[in-house]
Amino acid sequence: MKMILGLCLLCLAMALRTAAPLLKTEKMEDMAAPEGEVEVLMFGVIQFSESLKYVYETTEAKIDKISQKMKSHEQTLKKLGRQTEQAAEVEEQMKEVIQLLQAQMAKQQADTKTTKDWLANMELEEAELRTKVEKLEKHVINSVPPTSVKDLQERAEEITDVLRGLQHLTEFQKEMIETQNEKLSKLLQSDIAV
């Protein structure tokens, strides 16, 4: 507003300045400008000041709008920057989880292979033990009948020991198979979850 008032005063001064040379050459009574010219000049100054005021106000409004838009864009850029950082963190975490899962799968595969090898050995040992039991049974059948109750008890104890060993071996194998089945099912469930 001060700027508009200053411009009005400047225009008035300019108008008076252009009239000043006339003042020097004419007499005092002729120095007064005609009332119509002063009114036109004042009307022009008022119109000019209103135009300047309008330009000032519209320019100020435009600058405010531009400032608001810039602030909005800055906030959007900051938000995008935070989202980008979060996405990078999530990606890094996913990579770590994938590496961990790959390591677990490799370990599970190694454990499974070890267990399969162990089970194959146990099956061989079981087959050998059965062969021994069958040989022992044939030996008992084909051998001379025991001459005493004591011999018969010793043979029965030998057979019982062999059968107990076979039973323990079978139970141990069963437990190992159940343990491996549990590990494999957990591994499959974790693979499905991923």
Side-chain angles (χ1 to χ4, degrees), residues 90-144:
V90 169
E91 182 182 359
E92 189 63 32
Q93 290 173 354
M94 287 177 66
K95 285 180 182 178
E96 291 174 6
V97 169
I98 288 171
Q99 288 175 350
L100 181 64
L101 287 174
Q102 287 174 341
Q104 286 177 347
M105 287 177 65
K107 184 181 181 304
Q108 287 293 334
Q109 288 174 348
D111 289 347
T112 302
K113 185 182 182 315
T114 304
T115 304
K116 284 181 181 178
D117 292 344
W118 181 81
L119 285 174
N121 267 348
M122 294 304 282
E123 287 174 358
L124 285 174
E125 288 179 15
E126 184 180 358
E128 289 175 6
L129 191 57
R130 282 185 183 160
T131 305
K132 287 180 183 178
V133 168
E134 288 172 3
K135 285 181 182 178
L136 186 59
E137 286 175 349
K138 287 179 184 178
H139 176 67
V140 168
I141 292 171
N142 294 334
S143 68
V144 178

Side-chain angles (χ1 to χ4, degrees), residues 2-150:
K2 288 180 182 179
M3 184 176 154
I4 294 171
L5 185 61
L7 286 172
C8 290
L9 291 175
L10 180 65
C11 289
L12 186 58
M14 291 289 282
L16 292 175
R17 190 175 204 190
T18 54
L22 294 174
L23 291 175
K24 292 180 184 176
T25 58
E26 297 180 8
K27 296 179 184 175
M28 268 319 239
E29 57 268 358
D30 293 334
M31 287 176 51
E35 192 175 312
E37 287 181 15
V38 171
E39 286 178 9
V40 170
L41 185 60
M42 288 304 290
F43 181 74
V45 168
I46 291 170
Q47 289 291 325
F48 182 69
S49 67
E50 286 179 2
S51 296
L52 284 176
K53 179 181 176 186
Y54 175 77
V55 169
Y56 175 76
E57 288 173 353
T58 56
T59 304
E60 187 176 23
K62 288 177 184 177
I63 289 172
D64 287 343
K65 284 182 183 179
I66 291 170
S67 296
Q68 289 174 354
K69 285 183 181 181
M70 287 181 68
K71 286 179 183 176
S72 174
H73 288 309
E74 286 176 5
Q75 290 173 351
T76 303
L77 285 173
K78 286 179 183 178
K79 186 177 179 182
L80 287 173
R82 287 191 299 269
Q83 288 176 348
T84 303
E85 290 174 5
Q86 290 173 349
E89 289 174 8
V90 169
E91 182 182 359
E92 189 63 32
Q93 290 173 354
M94 287 177 66
K95 285 180 182 178
E96 291 174 6
V97 169
I98 288 171
Q99 288 175 350
L100 181 64
L101 287 174
Q102 287 174 341
Q104 286 177 347
M105 287 177 65
K107 184 181 181 304
Q108 287 293 334
Q109 288 174 348
D111 289 347
T112 302
K113 185 182 182 315
T114 304
T115 304
K116 284 181 181 178
D117 292 344
W118 181 81
L119 285 174
N121 267 348
M122 294 304 282
E123 287 174 358
L124 285 174
E125 288 179 15
E126 184 180 358
E128 289 175 6
L129 191 57
R130 282 185 183 160
T131 305
K132 287 180 183 178
V133 168
E134 288 172 3
K135 285 181 182 178
L136 186 59
E137 286 175 349
K138 287 179 184 178
H139 176 67
V140 168
I141 292 171
N142 294 334
S143 68
V144 178
T147 54
S148 69
V149 174
K150 187 177 179 182

